[in-house]
Amino acid sequence: NGTSAWNAQSEASLGQSRGWMQLLDSSCHTPDVSLLSWETADGAGKWDKKPNLKCREADPSTMPPASALVLSGATEAKAQDCLGLYRLIKGYEVNGRPCWRSVRRSDRWIAFNGENAWNAQSEASLGQKRGWLQLLDSSAATPNMSKIPWDSADGNGKWSKQPNLKCLAVDNTELPPPKAIILDGEPVIGTAANYIGLYRLAEGKLVNGRPCYRHAERPTHWVAYNGTSAWNAQSEASLGQSRGWMQLLDSSCHTPDVSLLSWETADGAGKWDKKPNLKCREADPSTMPPASALVLSGATEAKAQDCLGLYRLIKGYEVNGRPCWRSVRRSDRWIAFNGENAWNAQSEASLGQKRGWLQLLDSSAATPNMSKIPWDSADGNGKWSKQPNLKCLAVDNTELPPPKAIILDGEPVIGTAANYIGLYRLAEGKLVNGRPCYRHAERPTHWVAYNGTSAWN
């Protein structure tokens, strides 16, 4: 605390003469070397001596694996491609040990090879004795615990020592929020069961200063921090409040997936039931349904700027086996996968081809908003330039203008309901219960509208 003692204390009191335990020994550089015992606060201003309460060095292998690792200091070109932040994949092991996935490149991993080394490697080589970096220390429970230097592959079958390469555990607040999370692990009943499942990051939106997540299938269901003590799975009406149907009592984590604590569920009568196996973890973004809307922003090239703006998902239609989005502003502008190595912002005439004004060279990204790789812009003369400020983000579908026309179809319907199958035209300038409405193209007395509470009719 800077004067007389070591304290066990909250982050808010860090370094102050406050806390719930104290070791009155200012002579020791670290608390584990002291021969004195600790005292505990009774909450009423007094300290109780605890003769047998000690601080000692622990076996590092008993520590839970770090939520985040950072690799830095490599000199070989291929090795440099493996540098950066890595996120622990909770609940998943490779050869019986934890593993970490690159934040920058989803196809880069740190994993144990099952025999003699930790490797920084591609997803195709995961768990094998292959990679661009290796740490020949099978005794290290996690790679950041080792004191042995890493080796770098030269691409010709030889390895060279990398004395400046470091693998360090870092604070999980340095991690960007995951693009997707999942709440699962044990059966839940009642209303709380509706909050189980996949959630998508609400990009660019913070609730009480922290990222928030919207349910992939139920857009009025959220996971957000309540500003004081907990993360809540809650309705949109309660967003950011200390209310909800599930809670994670852990205010220390910047996102809920890094917490080691379990969730609780509300029973509807004011009590909370502990669910030891109910966890929140990062989800594989490729398991997420594609975003209903994307926005491209930040390009500087003139042609590229013509591709900026909102794009609407074309449901039920794919290009080269992947989803595609059409510009709201210009119907001849698309975002689509080229079938081989990149996502392109391109004209309708070039749809699905290796052509366009913008490209994202990341075939591993299930959708372009999931990638951490910068986009490139064409200069019109066959060259590409990096666009570090160009962003492709998933946005709330409420930002999309209503479509000019919709169609109800897909399965045979009998009786009076059959008269409501078909094309509907947007009733422009008209709202019903605050939302757009649609009139049947052939039967003008037939409508599709929101009922104000729970359903479209």
Side-chain angles (χ1 to χ4, degrees), residues 339-350:
E340 187 177 329
N341 64 341
W343 289 90
N344 288 94
Q346 57 194 181
S347 70
E348 188 158 18
S350 301

Side-chain angles (χ1 to χ4, degrees), residues 14 210 344 424 444:
L14 193 61
R210 302 193 189 182
N344 288 94
Y424 288 74

